[in-house]
Amino acid sequence: MNLLDQLSGGAGAEDRARCSRKGCRVDAEWQLLWNNPKIHTPERRKIWLACGDHRGWLEEYLQVRSLWKETLPLAGSAGTESDTQ
């Protein structure tokens, strides 16, 4: 697998949702919805993915900056509800 395939989603790209915490390669279990009111419309939601170990750290990071909106289980992840929205 090469870098261009990973970036473009081409052949060989991973189809697994990974935690957004820098350096973490663990499968994601949570989706953290956020937006930056300085640049996004109020209804827009950006999503970071989190594993169980980094959920709290990522939530706190967004909350301190007044960006966090809500955290939902990631559909189909182990140990979470399958219907998220």
Side-chain angles (χ1 to χ4, degrees):
M1 170 175 12
N2 68 41
L3 182 59
L4 291 177
D5 284 341
Q6 289 178 355
L7 294 175
S8 67
E14 288 188 31
D15 61 348
R16 300 171 75 166
R18 301 288 185 179
C19 180
S20 297
R21 177 77 162 106
K22 184 176 180 179
C24 185
R25 302 293 300 145
V26 175
D27 289 348
E29 299 174 22
W30 300 96
Q31 49 183 336
L32 285 67
L33 282 59
W34 63 277
N35 89 3
N36 183 340
K38 294 180 181 178
I39 59 175
H40 301 131
T41 59
E43 65 279 352
R44 179 158 183 201
R45 293 295 181 265
K46 305 279 287 179
I47 300 172
W48 280 357
L49 300 177
C51 66
D53 289 342
H54 292 122
R55 174 186 172 184
W57 190 94
L58 291 166
E59 279 180 349
E60 182 178 344
Y61 181 92
L62 293 169
Q63 289 170 349
V64 164
R65 291 157 181 81
S66 299
L67 305 175
W68 179 84
K69 297 300 177 189
E70 67 179 317
T71 299
L72 301 170
L74 183 62
S77 64
T80 60
E81 301 283 329
S82 60
D83 56 355
T84 60
Q85 295 181 0

